């Protein structure tokens, strides 16, 4: 592979990567900047599946299995016919891609970069507790993930905290690990005036996301139902693993100040955000919640919206602490969330118009391109 100044760096983006995820779309666009002749060898199997943890029904599961059975022979044949290239990138969710396609890459003597993004084993067995860590499914996942890490020349996660976990779980040496921030799609979440909400009524609070444990939905609901929480208007958008339980909790007492929306198309989120005065991130207390900076955090920052989220090692990689319009609070602490809202209420008129501009530089699209270019360069030196 040549150096970063040579346009001859040739890249293949290979696999069943999930283009429903902003992470994957930003990766693809970054690689196109690095190699304008990027070869995409893709077979879509996840289209229309928003939350894989709640995918139910034999038909839906069999449909995924059927597409996988077709995908790998097709992708293998296409890759073996691919033209000159220096490095192959396998995107999220690429665990099976690493096991079934990456060996072909090694046979051709090429470099493999795996954007693992997160540990599937940790998510499945620990964070969402879908299976016990000692169960056969969890043990199989751990073995597969470890094997994939060994095949890869470079393993990429979203934060340094996540990279450290991958190293600890699977014995991956630090020299083989990288972290690239997730970022946000600026065309979907353009910067706006943080004070653009309606100043004539209660402060509008927005949360959206999959209802999974690391988001700490219980903390948000407890704050909203607290007597102090009635001073604000809450919009809570999402579905997923914990939705039924949360909806049951909301139904047990009057909550006219809470608007519950099951789901909103991705392209409409910026409209909801524009109407909000302040956005919420995550408030879970799990180990994984401490290691991630979720999409919603990057999106709120990119849009210049005031944000309240959990203080964590991952967030400290992006921001050292509270700053104008950014309120970092302990996890699972409704009182701290309400105190942050009250603090915001008192200082909202003094917030700068270019809120979070310096933080956004760290995950802007040019910054992501530079980070991915560095990953490819380091992989080439294996």
């Amino acid at each position: 592979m040549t150096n970063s100044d040579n346009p001859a760096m040739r890249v293949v983006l290979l696999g069943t990567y999930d283009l429903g995820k902003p992470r994957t779309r930003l990766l693809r666009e970054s690689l196109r900047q690095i190699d304008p002749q990027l070869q995409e060898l893709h077979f879509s199997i996840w289209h229309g599946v928003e939350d894989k943890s709640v995918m139910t029904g034999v038909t839906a599961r069999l449909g995924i299995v059927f597409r996988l059975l077709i995908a790998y022979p097709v992708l293998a044949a296409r890759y073996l016919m691919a033209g000159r290239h220096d490095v192959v990138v396998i995107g999220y969710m690429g665990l099976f891609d690493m096991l079934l396609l990456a060996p072909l890459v090694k046979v051709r003597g090429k470099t493999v970069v795996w954007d693992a993004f997160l540990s599937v084993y940790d998510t499945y067995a620990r964070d969402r507790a879908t299976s016990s860590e000692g169960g056969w499914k969890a043990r199989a996942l751990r073995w597969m993930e470890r094997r994939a890490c060994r095949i890869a020349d470079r393993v990429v996660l979203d934060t340094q905290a996540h990279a450290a976990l991958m190293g600890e779980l699977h014995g991956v040496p630090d020299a083989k690990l990288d972290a690239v921030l997730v970022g946000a799609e600026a065309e979907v979440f353009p910067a706006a005036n943080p004070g653009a909400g309606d100043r004539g009524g209660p402060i509008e609070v927005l949360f959206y996301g999959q209802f999974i444990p690391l988001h700490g939905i219980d903390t948000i609901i407890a704050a909203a139902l607290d007597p102090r929480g009635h001073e604000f208007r809450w919009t809570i958008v999402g579905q997923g693993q914990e939705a039924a339980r949360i909806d049951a909790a909301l139904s047990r007492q009057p909550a006219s100040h809470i608007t519950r929306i099951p789901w909103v198309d991705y392209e409409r989120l910026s409209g909801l955000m524009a109407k909000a005065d302040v956005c919420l991130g995550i408030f879970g207390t799990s180990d994984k919640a401490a290691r991630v900076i979720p999409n919603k955090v990057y999106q709120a920052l990119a849009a210049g919206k005031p944000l309240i989220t959990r203080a964590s090692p991952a967030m400290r990689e992006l921001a050292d602490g509270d700053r104008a319009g950014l309120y970092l609070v302990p996890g699972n602490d409704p009182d701290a969330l309400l105190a942050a809202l009250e603090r915001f209420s008192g200082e909202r008129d003094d917030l700068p118009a270019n809120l979070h501009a310096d933080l956004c530089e760290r995950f802007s699209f040019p910054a992501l391109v530079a980070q991915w270019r560095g990953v490819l360069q380091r992989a080439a030196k294996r």
Side-chain angles (χ1 to χ4, degrees):
M1 185 183 298
T2 57
N3 63 40
S4 63
D5 296 323
N6 191 326
M9 179 186 291
R10 301 304 307 276
V11 183
V12 170
L13 180 56
L14 172 66
T16 60
Y17 46 90
D18 186 357
L19 286 171
K21 301 297 183 187
R23 166 74 169 201
T24 310
R25 295 194 295 269
L26 286 165
L27 164 63
R28 180 176 63 176
E29 294 308 310
S30 296
L31 295 179
R32 285 174 174 170
Q33 289 291 311
I34 295 168
D35 177 11
Q37 299 181 60
L38 173 71
Q39 298 180 71
E40 274 198 82
L41 307 179
H42 180 231
F43 195 109
S44 177
I45 63 169
W46 300 112
H47 180 71
V49 182
E50 297 290 349
D51 186 355
K52 300 166 186 64
S53 70
V54 295
M55 188 174 61
T56 58
V58 174
T59 301
R61 294 175 183 272
L62 286 177
I64 295 296
V65 172
F66 179 71
R67 290 199 289 273
L68 282 170
L69 290 173
I70 296 174
Y72 288 113
V74 170
L75 287 170
R78 291 181 66 194
Y79 175 68
L80 291 174
M81 293 186 292
R84 184 183 73 80
H85 59 282
D86 305 295
V87 59
V88 171
V89 178
I90 290 180
Y92 178 82
M93 299 178 51
L95 182 57
F96 292 156
D97 299 353
M98 284 298 303
L99 297 174
L100 298 174
L101 298 175
L104 297 178
V105 180
K106 306 302 282 188
V107 166
R108 292 189 66 174
K110 307 300 182 182
T111 299
V112 180
V113 172
W114 179 29
D115 182 26
F117 179 34
L118 50 79
S119 167
V120 176
Y121 163 77
D122 177 63
T123 300
Y124 179 82
R126 294 179 174 180
D127 186 66
R128 300 193 185 186
T130 310
S131 171
S132 69
E133 290 190 57
W136 72 267
K137 292 180 182 178
R139 287 187 285 111
L141 266 181
R142 186 165 186 169
W143 179 88
M144 288 189 289
E145 198 166 76
R146 176 168 294 196
R147 178 63 183 159
C149 287
R150 290 178 178 173
I151 295 171
D153 296 293
R154 207 81 192 166
V155 181
V156 186
L157 289 301
D158 62 328
T159 64
Q160 294 292 344
H162 244 149
L165 171 75
M166 195 69 100
E168 174 189 325
L169 276 176
H170 305 306
V172 185
D174 290 345
K176 193 174 179 176
L177 293 166
D178 259 307
V180 174
L181 297 174
V182 171
E185 293 173 296
E187 67 276 14
V188 181
F189 300 94
N193 186 337
D198 178 9
R199 297 297 182 90
I203 286 174
E204 297 279 355
V205 184
L206 173 66
F207 171 84
Y208 62 84
Q210 293 173 324
F211 279 30
I212 54 179
L214 76 84
H215 285 173
I217 311 295
D218 288 305
T219 300
I220 297 169
I221 298 302
L225 293 176
D226 187 278
R228 291 160 64 195
H230 285 249
E231 299 299 315
F232 309 96
R233 283 203 297 252
W234 305 71
T235 299
I236 299 174
V237 181
Q239 60 187 6
Q241 185 178 352
E242 301 194 306
R245 183 176 60 79
I246 293 301
D247 289 339
L250 287 173
S251 70
R252 286 194 286 268
Q253 55 183 294
S256 60
H257 63 302
I258 301 175
T259 299
R260 175 75 176 91
I261 303 174
W263 197 249
V264 169
D265 290 339
Y266 179 72
E267 293 76 14
R268 293 179 53 209
L269 286 176
S270 60
L272 276 181
M273 190 176 286
K275 296 176 184 177
D277 296 304
V278 59
C279 296
L280 303 181
I282 61 172
F283 303 93
T285 57
S286 68
D287 290 342
K288 183 178 177 181
R291 291 190 292 265
V292 302
I293 306 174
N295 284 312
K296 62 179 65 61
V297 165
Y298 289 106
Q299 290 158 359
L301 294 174
K305 302 299 291 190
L307 172 71
I308 305 171
T309 193
R310 178 194 161 172
S312 68
M315 275 303 297
R316 284 195 291 273
E317 294 180 26
L318 189 61
D320 291 336
D322 280 12
R323 45 194 290 139
L326 177 61
Y327 309 91
L328 302 181
V329 301
N332 192 28
D333 192 336
D335 287 337
L337 171 52
L338 288 166
L341 280 170
E342 291 161 352
R343 179 180 161 193
F344 163 71
S345 179
E347 64 187 31
R348 62 189 301 211
D349 291 333
D350 299 321
L351 293 177
N354 60 341
L355 200 60
H356 314 310
D358 58 333
L359 288 183
C360 292
E361 285 297 317
R362 297 193 55 198
F363 59 84
S364 66
F365 182 64
L368 295 181
V369 172
Q371 290 174 44
W372 280 113
R373 193 187 301 275
V375 168
L376 300 186
Q377 290 175 338
R378 289 187 287 276
K381 297 176 182 177
R382 70 189 192 285

